[in-house]
Structure formats: structure tokens, C-alpha cells
Amino acid sequence: MKTAADSDGGNPVFVLVLCFFLIMGVVQVVRPQLLWKANSRLQRGWVRNPEATEPTNKGYAMNRVVGVIFLGFVIWMLIRQL
């Protein structure tokens, strides 16, 4: 059985990846439009008008809800690593 005193602090690379995901989750909650603008460039080869695929206000609200759930999961993972 592993105790808190035996903890080695976790893998530092994994903690850095989780911190990156934490930042992405905050952006998804605060400004989901930034993520859409960054990813809309990937549609250029397949979609005639990528600007027409921008989500509605309800779509952005759903992105925020998913972002909050994602942030909760990432924070839980960070706490377990540290």
C-alpha cells in the first residue's frame, strides 16, 4: 500500500501536459471562439465556406459546459499527480 509519504511527486512531463490541457480548458470556458478560429483553418480543404460552420450561441454554451467538465477532470488528475 502506497502512502502519501512514499509519493515521488509524479511524472514531470505528465504534469506539464496536464498544465497545457488546463490552459486549453480555461480557453474553452472563457473564449471558445478562439478555439474555433484556430481550428477553422483546418477545414479549408474540405469546406467551401469555413466561416459558415461557426457555432451558434447555444453551440458555444455547450462548448463551455464541456470545458467545465474537462477542467474538473484535469484538475482531479493534477491533484492525484502532486
Side-chain angles (χ1 to χ4, degrees):
M1 185 179 267
K2 191 173 185 178
T3 64
D6 296 335
S7 176
D8 60 356
N11 186 348
V13 174
F14 188 61
V15 171
L16 284 175
V17 170
L18 286 175
C19 289
F20 173 74
F21 286 156
L22 183 71
I23 292 168
M24 293 301 294
V26 169
V27 170
Q28 184 173 356
V29 171
V30 176
R31 293 284 302 202
Q33 297 88 353
L34 292 177
L35 291 178
W36 178 81
K37 287 179 185 176
N39 292 325
S40 68
R41 293 184 184 110
L42 298 173
Q43 298 179 8
R44 298 234 187 263
W46 298 295
V47 179
R48 287 185 203 156
N49 187 5
E51 288 78 28
T53 63
E54 183 173 7
T56 61
N57 288 338
K58 288 182 182 179
Y60 282 133
M62 191 64 195
N63 280 339
R64 287 185 173 103
V65 169
V66 171
V68 168
I69 295 168
F70 180 75
L71 278 175
F73 182 71
V74 170
I75 290 170
W76 176 74
M77 297 263 310
L78 270 171
I79 289 171
R80 288 191 47 111
Q81 283 294 311
L82 302 176

